[in-house]
Amino acid sequence: MSRLLTVLEQAYEAFNARDLARLRPLVHPQATWPNTLEDGSPLVGKEAVMGHFGRMFATMTPNIHVIEVIQETTDALTVDAQYAVESRAGQVWSDTRARLTYHFRDGLLAGMTILSGF
């Protein structure tokens, strides 16, 4: 789990810092991700996922605090986390707990499944 956990921790640090340049190398070229800004339909490919994060960072300030990480398989980690989301002006839009499973391929983030929350 240590390699996957390291990648996940780096991804959360970059995400919370809204640093796309640090996040980009951690995402697999063929990643699939839920579209949490619009209709939830899957985003396919690194550029689609990175574009999603860019749009997210332009409109809100998400901050995630990991509570627990559970290794599900050799290529999947489930995370319990507290998600706080504020407007760019600092107004709290959401503060909730979520459970997510992150999928890995070739040691990189290849997908996310929302189990609860959001």
Side-chain angles (χ1 to χ4, degrees):
M1 175 164 87
S2 63
R3 171 68 182 135
L4 300 184
L5 184 56
T6 298
V7 169
L8 186 65
E9 287 171 342
Q10 291 172 345
Y12 270 115
E13 287 172 13
F15 185 87
N16 283 337
R18 289 163 294 291
D19 188 339
L20 292 174
R22 282 183 24 216
L23 192 55
R24 180 178 297 281
L26 303 173
V27 178
H28 193 275
Q30 298 164 340
T32 58
W33 215 262
N35 186 340
T36 57
L37 290 175
E38 285 97 22
D39 61 5
S41 63
L43 301 159
V44 179
K46 179 187 259 187
E47 294 312 312
V49 173
M50 296 309 299
H52 175 72
F53 290 145
R55 290 187 304 279
M56 183 181 294
F57 298 158
T59 59
M60 64 185 76
T61 304
N63 190 0
I64 306 164
H65 174 73
V66 175
I67 298 166
E68 181 180 19
V69 178
I70 302 162
Q71 183 159 1
E72 297 292 342
T73 68
T74 58
D75 293 322
L77 299 176
T78 294
V79 172
D80 283 322
Q82 189 70 30
Y83 275 73
V85 179
E86 296 178 354
S87 70
R88 298 292 291 175
Q91 178 184 8
V92 175
W93 283 348
S94 174
D95 191 359
T96 189
R97 198 143 171 195
R99 179 171 270 222
L100 312 164
T101 296
Y102 291 93
H103 309 279
F104 295 82
R105 185 181 315 152
D106 304 326
L108 299 173
L109 286 165
M112 179 181 78
T113 302
I114 300 170
L115 303 175
S116 65
F118 259 87

